[in-house]
Amino acid sequence: MHIIGKRKIKISFDAIVFLVSHLRLRIGFPMVSRKGVKNLCFTHNVIEIQALKICEEIREHSVYKLVSVATTGGESIQIKENLSIQSNLNLPPGGTLPLVTKVMLENTDGRSYSVNVDEAGLQFAKGLITYKEYKLLQNREKRKLTTILIASGGTFFLMSWSFLELLF
């Protein structure tokens, strides 16, 4: 039995398990029951695989030479031209994929460019946009993310405040 404000709400364990399992099933977490965890709905390295796919696209379609990739651990891995990105990572059998965050590209003049492993980085690597346009896209995305976070926090605060006002 939970008491919220002056109202008493009776919630059984089965109802909580049902709600949590239903919500987790929709967002891809393991289902919970009294017997424990039932199943896992997706693999744990989806982000790493997506980053690896974008790296491969950059390697295949780039107008620049792919020199190296940087991972979240701060490790920089030099890329050999005739091998795939995954082969260059030298993973032990059963090893986990590192998250590739940046790639280093080099033009014919020897000038190096560091780009993120995302759609804007792929556009730059294909030669569709200039490095200056790439940086402008990155700044726009940062501003958009900051605006969304501030708006979400403000909305959450206002909803919490109005909910508390309703209860008390």
Side-chain angles (χ1 to χ4, degrees):
M1 172 122 26
H2 290 62
I3 299 173
I4 300 176
K6 295 178 182 177
R7 300 180 185 141
K8 295 179 182 177
I9 300 173
K10 187 176 181 181
I11 301 174
S12 70
F13 178 77
D14 291 330
I16 293 172
V17 168
F18 172 76
L19 290 173
V20 170
S21 297
H22 184 69
L23 290 173
R24 288 186 176 193
L25 180 63
R26 288 180 175 259
I27 58 176
F29 288 103
M31 290 181 57
V32 179
S33 71
R34 286 187 180 194
K35 296 177 184 173
V37 176
K38 284 187 179 177
N39 63 351
L40 192 60
C41 299
F42 66 91
T43 60
H44 66 284
N45 59 352
V46 173
I47 297 171
E48 289 87 349
I49 292 171
Q50 182 64 28
L52 198 62
K53 285 179 184 176
I54 292 175
C55 280
E56 285 295 336
E57 278 190 63
I58 288 173
R59 186 182 68 80
E60 292 171 4
H61 303 292
S62 180
V63 295
Y64 303 100
K65 179 184 174 191
L66 181 61
V67 179
S68 65
V69 295
T71 62
T72 53
E75 184 181 1
S76 181
I77 301 166
Q78 299 298 318
I79 301 297
K80 298 174 185 130
E81 288 203 29
N82 296 332
L83 295 175
S84 69
I85 303 290
Q86 194 166 1
S87 299
N88 278 292
L89 294 175
N90 298 324
L91 294 175
T96 60
L97 283 174
L99 178 60
V100 178
T101 55
K102 289 190 179 278
V103 294
M104 288 296 293
L105 303 171
E106 188 176 277
N107 66 4
T108 55
D109 299 333
R111 186 170 178 181
S112 295
Y113 300 99
S114 174
V115 296
N116 290 337
V117 181
D118 57 9
E119 289 300 318
L122 182 60
Q123 286 180 352
F124 171 73
K126 288 181 176 180
L128 301 174
I129 59 175
T130 64
Y131 194 67
K132 187 175 182 179
E133 291 170 331
Y134 166 75
K135 285 298 196 182
L136 286 173
L137 278 174
Q138 291 293 320
N139 289 337
R140 245 185 246 139
E141 289 296 319
K142 285 180 187 176
R143 277 186 299 212
K144 194 184 299 183
L145 178 64
T146 304
T147 303
I148 289 171
L149 286 174
I150 290 172
S152 299
T155 303
F156 180 72
F157 175 76
L158 288 174
M159 288 175 59
S160 300
W161 177 75
S162 62
F163 182 70
L164 289 174
E165 286 293 318
L166 179 70
L167 290 177
F168 299 110

